[in-house]
Amino acid sequence: MKGRLWNCLYLVVLVWPLPTFLASSPSPGRVALAAAGLAAFVGLYLGVMWCVERSRRTAGLLALALLYAVAAAMTPLLGELWLLSMWFFLIAAVAVSLPERALPVAAGATILAVTLAFPLLLGLSLAERWWFPLQGVIFAVAMRAFLRLESANRALSQANAEVERLAVDNERLRFARDMHDLLGHSLAVMTMKSQLAARLVTADPERARAEAEEVEELSRQALADVREAITGYRELSLADELDGARRALATAGVRLEVAAGPLPADVEPVLAWVVREGTTNVVRHSGARRCRIRLGVRGGEAYAEVSDDGGGCRADVAGAAGNGLRGLAERVEVAGGVLDGGPAEGGGFRLSARLPLAGAAA
């Protein structure tokens, strides 16, 4: 569209023959005829340049034929300067009206028409106007290069739009995964504490009130987590997740054993997600009485392992896992690691992740 707009602005070149024409003291009738012909040429050219959509292609071709007719009719009236000023517009009109594969033939026909037929209307010697076809060929080649560049730019714009669309889709998936991981854990713990508080209302009111207060605190923290996730990518604290795991498992009546060695700071956020998701699965699905969390470095890899002695959550991480494990697997994979899940030693379920350490390959 921008290219066609700029091309239309070049129509000011058509005033070039007018000073010479008016200097010859033409009659009022010839002046009116020249004005009408010039207006018709401009109108038809604009019609050709803008009626290029598939549904209006027929109208564009009709305007192209009439444009050539008006150009030929105006040649005896305005003379050689008209010939020099308008034939470039004829080639441009052909270029936008016909498919690119037909452009060389159409441009060649236009050049022959202008350099052979049109000069004959003025009685000009073709031998003295040998540079006419040379200029036409140069302009046709330039026009074809411009159209190819415009096509490449259009394809690039479409590719950029597709990249932007995929980026938006990936961000939506990331946000959905974060919401599931953030709220799934908090809501599971809140459900457990609410059920416990309901059972303790009559037996131990003080303990019930304490549990209800913790539910309120968890709801506030969940709201804060959502707000933090909305404002930007959220990195978990491994220490905070271990503390949260202790509280959640204690509420569920699960005894926790933690064996944590020193870890590089760059892998802690991802392993914190493993601790959170693994703890959530133990609370929700396992029915376990004991849970073990192991963290450390082994064989050039950082690892996190959450295992229990229950009988639930035997999902296949790579296949039929729930949304939480699928999201966690994607998160670990992005970090260059591997997430595994399967039966633990002595029964139960084991969830483990391994992440390569920076510089380990070297």
Side-chain angles (χ1 to χ4, degrees), residues 45-251:
Y45 181 76
L46 293 176
V48 170
M49 296 302 292
W50 294 98
C51 295
V52 294
E53 293 83 359
R54 184 180 302 275
S55 60
R56 305 173 64 187
R57 183 61 58 84
T58 302
L61 294 178
L62 178 60
L64 178 65
L66 293 176
L67 182 69
Y68 272 75
V70 171
M74 292 283 289
T75 299
L77 185 64
L78 297 180
E80 185 175 356
L81 292 181
W82 168 254
L83 191 64
L84 292 174
S85 62
M86 61 82 180
W87 71 318
F88 300 105
F89 295 102
L90 295 183
I91 295 177
V94 168
V96 301
S97 300
L98 301 179
E100 184 179 353
R101 61 180 180 274
L103 179 58
V105 176
T110 300
I111 293 171
L112 289 176
V114 174
T115 58
L116 297 179
F118 281 36
L120 294 178
L121 297 175
L122 300 174
L124 299 176
S125 171
L126 297 179
E128 296 178 357
R129 302 298 186 272
W130 59 269
W131 43 271
F132 272 22
L134 179 61
Q135 285 188 346
V137 169
I138 293 175
F139 185 76
V141 171
M143 177 60 69
R144 187 176 187 186
F146 169 76
L147 290 177
R148 286 187 172 181
L149 179 60
E150 186 180 27
S151 177
N153 288 337
R154 187 164 53 248
L156 181 60
S157 298
Q158 293 174 351
N160 289 337
E162 180 66 13
V163 169
E164 292 177 359
R165 185 189 67 80
L166 292 176
V168 171
D169 289 345
N170 288 336
E171 181 63 16
R172 287 173 177 169
L173 290 174
R174 183 198 68 82
F175 186 77
R177 181 184 63 203
D178 282 1
M179 287 299 99
H180 177 275
D181 293 346
L182 288 169
L183 296 181
H185 175 78
S186 299
L187 293 177
V189 176
M190 290 166 62
T191 301
M192 295 287 297
K193 286 185 172 293
S194 299
Q195 293 173 346
L196 179 58
R199 290 196 300 267
L200 295 174
V201 167
T202 56
D204 191 347
E206 289 299 323
R207 174 75 185 281
R209 185 176 67 176
E211 295 293 338
E213 290 175 351
E214 288 193 23
V215 169
E216 180 182 1
E217 180 60 27
L218 284 171
S219 66
R220 294 180 187 276
Q221 183 60 45
L223 181 58
D225 289 344
V226 171
R227 287 172 176 169
E228 188 176 355
I230 291 174
T231 56
Y233 189 84
R234 183 179 188 273
E235 289 190 347
L236 297 185
S237 166
L238 182 57
D240 291 344
E241 290 308 311
L242 289 174
D243 290 341
R246 290 188 181 95
R247 292 194 300 269
L249 293 171
T251 301

Side-chain angles (χ1 to χ4, degrees), residues 182-344:
L182 288 169
L183 296 181
H185 175 78
S186 299
L187 293 177
V189 176
M190 290 166 62
T191 301
M192 295 287 297
K193 286 185 172 293
S194 299
Q195 293 173 346
L196 179 58
R199 290 196 300 267
L200 295 174
V201 167
T202 56
D204 191 347
E206 289 299 323
R207 174 75 185 281
R209 185 176 67 176
E211 295 293 338
E213 290 175 351
E214 288 193 23
V215 169
E216 180 182 1
E217 180 60 27
L218 284 171
S219 66
R220 294 180 187 276
Q221 183 60 45
L223 181 58
D225 289 344
V226 171
R227 287 172 176 169
E228 188 176 355
I230 291 174
T231 56
Y233 189 84
R234 183 179 188 273
E235 289 190 347
L236 297 185
S237 166
L238 182 57
D240 291 344
E241 290 308 311
L242 289 174
D243 290 341
R246 290 188 181 95
R247 292 194 300 269
L249 293 171
T251 301
V254 180
R255 184 163 60 90
L256 175 63
E257 298 176 5
V258 178
L263 290 169
D266 59 329
V267 302
E268 284 195 5
V270 179
L271 297 184
W273 284 109
V274 178
V275 172
R276 169 180 279 246
E277 182 63 27
T279 304
T280 300
N281 286 334
V282 172
V283 171
R284 281 183 171 179
H285 309 295
S286 69
R289 306 307 302 170
R290 187 176 63 177
C291 175
R292 294 182 300 273
I293 297 178
R294 296 176 181 175
L295 300 161
V297 175
R298 181 176 57 233
E301 294 180 323
Y303 68 90
E305 181 179 293
V306 181
S307 60
D308 63 72
D309 60 355
C313 194
R314 299 182 179 275
D316 179 8
V317 173
N323 291 329
L325 289 180
R326 277 199 299 268
L328 181 61
E330 293 171 2
R331 195 185 303 276
V332 172
E333 183 179 353
V334 168
V338 178
L339 182 71
D340 293 319

